[in-house]
Amino acid sequence: MGINRLEVEIDSLIIVNWLRRKVCGIWYLEDYWEEIQYMLPIISCRIQHIYREGTSVADILSKLGASCVSHI
């Protein structure tokens, strides 16, 4: 997709800590984890924790997208 800079805000502090330590704590996520670890050095990526209240707009947009409703 040509993305070379990425800023990620995650409301899960556990995942943010895993990404910073480069260690995943759940064995069945290993396939995804290896792919993420492969991609992170390729792009300039900033990962930070955000409280759940800060993700309310993203939650609404994802629910609209999942229901295939278009308001355009």
Side-chain angles (χ1 to χ4, degrees):
M1 293 179 62
I3 298 172
N4 57 8
R5 298 185 90 194
L6 182 66
E7 186 167 329
V8 180
E9 296 178 332
I10 304 174
D11 65 0
S12 172
L13 192 54
I14 292 172
I15 295 175
V16 171
N17 288 333
W18 287 351
L19 290 167
R20 288 184 180 156
R21 294 182 194 139
K22 299 183 181 193
V23 175
C24 178
I26 301 180
W27 64 269
Y28 55 83
L29 296 177
E30 283 297 320
D31 291 338
Y32 301 109
W33 185 254
E34 289 176 7
E35 187 173 348
I36 291 168
Q37 292 302 308
Y38 171 77
M39 291 170 41
L40 283 177
I42 296 171
I43 58 176
S44 174
C45 184
R46 182 176 142 202
I47 300 167
Q48 65 183 29
H49 177 256
I50 186 170
Y51 290 102
R52 192 166 302 263
E53 296 83 9
T55 63
S56 59
V57 173
D59 291 340
I60 291 168
L61 292 173
S62 66
K63 288 177 187 174
L64 283 174
S67 67
C68 297
V69 173
S70 177
H71 293 290
I72 298 174

